Amino acid sequence: MARKIIGPDVSFYQDSPSTPQGIDFVRMNQAADFVIIRAGQNIWTDSDFKDNWQRAKQAGLPRGSYWFYDSRSDPKQQAELWVNLLGSDRGELPMFADLEESYHGPFAGWTHWKTFLERIKSLVGNKEISIYTAYYYWRDNAPTQPAELDYFHRYPLWIANYGTSQPLVPKPWSANEWLFWQYTDSGDGFYYGVESLEIDLNNFNGDAQAFADR
């Protein structure tokens, strides 16, 4: 049986403000195959992003970044902040648009998700963009018309679903058509080099060779 390709996702929540050291990415690199790092939310940059981004690279971890889309702020502005924050170093893994919010702001809903994604695409060219979401959230908030729903099919899926042997996958993706699966939020934080007791863990849909080929 092929070894699973596993990595955490992290943010400033994995760094205790009472200690100076931050995340131990060297230790993480010994335990994990990749890391996905929170870049920001709304019009706020994650306070640890720049440090996490640089030190994960120095440790040799393949990196992806994610932005928590927030309906209280203009989607184009959020996209521009994210891309500007990354600069010329956009990471080795996709940019993940995190679609799970429920603030009910003026930019809520899938039409604004599309604006967010289209603005990112216009700024990053061929850089891969992926969508993070959960089954029930997507089911209840995504478009229902097939043509509108199919627009999102062009983006690989990072699906969140805990406590199951296989993730629930929403349309327009098929059952095994996910790129990453966030399968727990209670991984061993110490083992992965973070200061929080627990950590999100994710599984890549493929073996080591498939991961290396991306």
Side-chain angles (χ1 to χ4, degrees), residues 132-136 157-162 167-168 180-183:
Y132 169 94
T133 195
Y135 177 86
Y136 294 106
L157 178 64
W158 175 17
I159 187 69
N161 191 196
Y162 308 152
L168 282 171
F180 290 95
W181 167 24
Q182 187 183 79
Y183 63 89

Side-chain angles (χ1 to χ4, degrees), residues 100-188:
E100 59 174 317
E101 63 93 44
S102 56
Y103 294 112
H104 306 295
F107 302 101
W110 67 265
T111 58
H112 298 292
W113 302 345
K114 185 175 179 180
T115 299
F116 179 58
L117 292 163
E118 285 294 311
R119 183 56 179 151
I120 298 166
K121 281 173 54 183
S122 73
L123 295 170
V124 301
N126 293 328
K127 176 66 179 176
E128 188 171 34
I129 304 164
S130 175
I131 289 173
Y132 169 94
T133 195
Y135 177 86
Y136 294 106
Y137 180 86
W138 186 266
R139 182 197 67 181
D140 295 343
N141 292 277
T144 56
Q145 295 298 318
E148 295 164 344
L149 186 61
D150 193 58
Y151 164 82
F152 295 96
H153 200 199
R154 70 190 68 184
Y155 301 100
L157 178 64
W158 175 17
I159 187 69
N161 191 196
Y162 308 152
T164 180
S165 60
Q166 291 293 327
L168 282 171
V169 176
K171 294 178 180 180
W173 300 278
S174 59
N176 196 46
E177 196 180 8
W178 49 270
L179 183 62
F180 290 95
W181 167 24
Q182 187 183 79
Y183 63 89
T184 185
D185 60 355
S186 55
D188 184 339

Side-chain angles (χ1 to χ4, degrees), residues 186-204:
S186 55
D188 184 339
F190 177 77
Y191 180 75
Y192 287 94
V194 302
E195 297 183 283
S196 58
L197 291 176
E198 297 181 327
I199 190 170
D200 297 341
L201 293 177
N202 308 276
N203 182 23
F204 170 71

